[in-house]
Amino acid sequence: MTSKIAITPRSLSGGGHPALSMLTDKGYELVFPAPGQTPSEDALLSSVPGCVGWLAGVEPIPALVLDQAEGLRVISRNGVGVNNIDLAAAERHGIAIERAAGTNARGVAELAIALMLAGFRHVPWSDAMLHQGRWKRRKGVEAEGRVLGIIGCGAIGQTVARIAIGLGMKVLGHDPYPPKGFSPEGYRQASLDEVFEMSDAITLHCPPSENPLIDASVIARLKSGVLIINTARAELLDDEAVLAGLESEKVSCLATDVFREEPPEPSNLLSHDRVIMTPHAGGFTEESVTRATETAVYNLLKVLEQ
C-alpha cells in the first residue's frame, strides 16, 4: 500500500513544485486537500487521516484534526512558525514537528523593507489617486537617518537590519534572546521601551504572545507619525488601538502582510486609506518557496526514512 503525504501550503498545492518529486520518487502519494487555497478543517479531516506525513503551511492544525490523523508521523512546516499547530496534541500522538528555519528570511525581510518605503512615500495611496484620475500628493519622508525598531532579531530581523543599515538608517533591535555575534555598525540592541519610544518605524518579526504586543498603552508612547510594519502575526496588534492611532495620526501608516483570517473580512481598520496590505506574501518569492520546500521535504524524509 502506498504511503500518503498531505501537501497544504497554498504556494505548493495549486501548482506543485519540482522539489515534491523527491517524495514521489520515493513512492509516496501526494494528497492535496484544497488545491491553491487554505484548507478548511473539514478538508483536513477528510484528507489527512491515513497520511504518514504532512507538509504544512500556516493553516490552523487543531487537536480535532490531529486526533483523527491515525498513522501521522511528522508535520513538516515550510516555514519556522508553529503557533498554528496544536503542539500539545501533536506531542500526545507522538507526531514530530519539523521547521524550515531561515528559508524565507530574505523574502520576508525584503517585503518588510518594501512596505516601510511604500509607507514613507505613500506609494499605494498615490497610485490609487492617479488611477482615479486625481492629481494629489502627500509629503513623504526619507529613510536615511531615520530610526528603525526591530522586534524579533532572528534570521528575518537580522536581514531587515542589514538592509536598513544599507539605506542609511539607524537600527534598534530587541529580542529576549539577543543574537550572538550580530553587531553591524549602525545596529544596537535595545530595550523594548527604547524601541517603542525612539523609532520612526517599527517592524515586527516575533511570535505572538497571550496579549497584543502593541495596544493603546504602547501607542500612546510611540513617536508621533510612527509607521508600523507587521509581517509576523496579526495577533501582535490590537486592531482597535491601531485604528485609533491612525485616526489621530499618531500612527502614520500600518503596513501588514498578515491577518487573523485569510482572506480577511472587511473592517474599518483594513479599509483605512493609510493601511497597506499584502496577501501573506512575505515568503512567496521564487527563491524562498524553493528553499522552504526543499528543506521541508528533506525534513519529512529525515523522519519517515529513519
Side-chain angles (χ1 to χ4, degrees), residues 214-236:
I214 296 181
D215 58 16
S217 65
V218 169
I219 289 175
R221 296 161 51 198
L222 302 179
K223 290 178 69 172
S224 183
V226 68
L227 192 156
I228 299 172
I229 306 109
N230 187 10
T231 58
R233 290 292 184 269
E235 292 78 11
L236 288 165

Side-chain angles (χ1 to χ4, degrees), residues 1 17 20 30 48 65 71-72 92 104 106 136 196 226 230 241 243 269 276 279 284 296:
M1 182 177 178
H17 191 279
L20 297 179
L30 305 186
V48 172
V65 172
L72 183 64
R92 187 166 66 248
N104 67 353
R106 185 73 193 189
K136 299 187 69 174
F196 286 148
V226 68
N230 187 10
L243 177 59
L269 175 62
I276 302 171
F284 195 47

